[in-house]
Amino acid sequence: MVMMQRWKGRVALVTGASVGIGAAVARALVQHGMKVVGCARNVDKIEKLAAECQSAGYSGTLIPYKCDLCNEEEILSMFSAIKTLHQGVDVCINNAGLAHNEPLLSGRTEGWRNMIDVNILALAICTREAYQSMKERHVDDGHIININSMGGHRMVPSADEHFYCATKYAVTAMTEGLRQELREARTHIRATSISPGIVETEFAFRHHNSDPERAAAVYESMKCLKAEDIASAVTYVLSAPAHVQIGDVQMRSVEQVS
C-alpha cells in the first residue's frame, strides 16, 4: 500500500501481540517498515515472531516487551521505556482483550474485574499515555486503533458472553468519546474502532477453557474470519489519507448469522 509508506520507521505499540490478531497485526506493521513494540505477559512467542520477521527480510523491526496490562505501573514503565529507546508512540493498537464465562446472574466478581481491567482500563491507560506521547513530541498525525468486537454493537444471546459484551460496548463508547476529545483538542490524531465477528484464533479456546470441544465447534460451524483479515483492516485504516477519519469498522464472515 502506497499510503503505508508514511509510517515507515515510525513506532507502533501493539498490545496482546503474542498470538492471534495481535501477532498478525504486529507482523503486518513490521512488513510495512514500522518499529513495532509488541507487548504481552509472556514474550516467548513474540520473540519467535520477531525472529521470523527478521528472517523474512521485513523492513521493520519487532521489539518484544513483557507487560501485565492489569498493572498500571507496568504500563507506565513500558511507555517510559519506549520514550527512552524510541522517542515515543505514533500508533497505538489496543488489541489485548479477554472473556470469561461469568454470567450476570451467577458470575464471579474476580472474572468481571479481570475483564474490566484488561478490556477497559488497560485500553484507557494505553490510550492516554499514547496521546500524551504524541502531544509532547508535537505528533499531529498519530493514530489510536481499538480492536473492539461485534459484541460491542449487539448483545450476544448467550449468558456466558453478556459481561464481555458490556466491556466491548464500553470500547465503542470510549472510541467515540476519544474522537470527540481529539477534535476538541484541535489535533489531527485519529481514533478508530475495528469490530470483528468470530475470528479463528485461540480466543474461543481460552474463553471455553474447560470445554475445548465447544470452542472447536464455534470455529467449525462456519468459515470464520482469520487474524490476517483484521490485520488487513488495520493497514487499510492506517493507509487512509490524513484528512479521512475512519471511525468504525464492523466486519464478519459472510456466513456469520449475527
Side-chain angles (χ1 to χ4, degrees), residues 127-146:
T127 295
R128 180 190 68 202
E129 297 304 310
Y131 169 69
Q132 294 298 332
S133 172
M134 296 173 199
K135 182 182 177 183
E136 69 183 21
R137 292 176 297 123
H138 306 290
V139 170
D140 197 43
D141 65 343
H143 208 135
I144 297 167
I145 299 176
N146 295 329

Side-chain angles (χ1 to χ4, degrees), residues 94 96-97 112-127 163-171 174:
N94 287 310
W112 293 343
R113 184 174 289 116
N114 189 217
M115 285 186 270
I116 289 171
D117 284 345
V118 176
N119 298 1
I120 301 176
L121 285 178
L123 180 146
I125 295 166
C126 288
T127 295
F163 198 93
Y164 167 76
C165 286
T167 66
K168 291 301 186 176
Y169 266 81
V171 173
M174 289 164 66

Side-chain angles (χ1 to χ4, degrees), residues 53-121:
C53 289
Q54 189 172 15
S55 298
Y58 296 159
S59 55
T61 53
L62 176 56
I63 303 109
Y65 196 95
K66 184 178 175 63
C67 181
D68 180 358
L69 293 171
C70 291
N71 185 325
E72 182 174 7
E73 289 305 314
E74 289 196 22
I75 298 175
L76 298 180
S77 293
M78 174 174 66
F79 274 91
S80 179
I82 293 172
K83 179 179 180 179
T84 300
L85 298 171
H86 310 289
Q87 284 72 59
V89 172
D90 302 307
V91 172
C92 180
I93 313 286
N94 287 310
N95 164 74
L98 51 80
H100 297 299
N101 294 343
E102 306 291 356
L104 296 173
L105 298 182
S106 59
R108 295 171 304 135
T109 306
E110 178 188 0
W112 293 343
R113 184 174 289 116
N114 189 217
M115 285 186 270
I116 289 171
D117 284 345
V118 176
N119 298 1
I120 301 176
L121 285 178

Side-chain angles (χ1 to χ4, degrees), residues 16-19 38-40 42-51 62-65:
S18 59
V19 294
C39 81
N42 188 321
V43 295
D44 292 349
K45 290 180 179 177
I46 305 178
E47 288 171 347
K48 182 181 177 186
L49 178 59
L62 176 56
I63 303 109
Y65 196 95

